[in-house]
Amino acid sequence: MSSLLAAGTAAPDFTLPTGPKDRLTLHTLRGKPVVLAFYPADFSPVCGDQMALYNELLPEFQRLSASVLGISVDGVWCHAAFARERKIGFPLLADFEPKGEIARAYGAYRATEGVAERALFVIDAQGVISWSYLSPVAVNPGADGILRALESLAAKADK
């Protein structure tokens, strides 16, 4: 079992591919909340359902000013096919090489299987983890915890 980074920890910065030529750097999203959704593998049934749910909830995440990023150890071409098939409208980042480096930095790597854990993080506008959750790998964690964490951040920002 992994030991996830806890609330109050500075989110490790990273740059990962979002496609064959494009990369995304976490700190470029500062100023608004970010949801990191680590998941084991594209095209697995639970992962597909989880990412599809977050895709359906994109308008709600956007209403709360949050960016959503999916991260697995799959490569960019696998992500591209998965996103196309499931019509995913948020970036899927390839933690492919060195395999699982970012998942390891967040305490969200399953070394025995060589995949990311099913782990969620909400990062605040200043780059600090405000909420994290490790789901059993075979269970879709849904979005309730993410939405509560984002609503809490929004309430603090309104004060």
Side-chain angles (χ1 to χ4, degrees), residues 17 39-44 47 71-79 82 92-97 99 114-116:
Y39 63 100
D42 295 334
F43 295 105
S44 73
C47 296
I71 304 175
S72 83
V73 299
D74 290 320
V76 295
W77 298 110
C78 190
H79 279 336
F82 179 61
L92 299 178
L93 285 70
D95 192 10
F96 184 71
E97 188 59 42
K99 187 174 184 180
V115 299

Side-chain angles (χ1 to χ4, degrees), residues 3-87:
S3 179
L4 289 188
L5 294 182
T9 306
D13 197 21
F14 58 80
T15 300
L16 285 174
T18 59
K21 296 182 181 180
D22 299 318
R23 300 175 77 73
L24 186 143
T25 300
L26 180 62
H27 76 257
T28 63
L29 300 176
R30 288 254 171 94
K32 62 181 183 175
V34 176
V35 175
L36 297 183
F38 287 90
Y39 63 100
D42 295 334
F43 295 105
S44 73
V46 177
C47 296
D49 290 347
Q50 180 186 5
M51 295 302 113
L53 173 64
Y54 300 159
N55 197 56
E56 287 176 30
L57 291 172
L58 267 179
E60 185 65 13
F61 292 136
Q62 291 164 345
R63 183 187 70 75
L64 294 164
S65 301
S67 296
V68 178
L69 306 174
I71 304 175
S72 83
V73 299
D74 290 320
V76 295
W77 298 110
C78 190
H79 279 336
F82 179 61
R84 187 172 44 255
E85 180 179 290
R86 299 300 290 232
K87 297 177 179 49

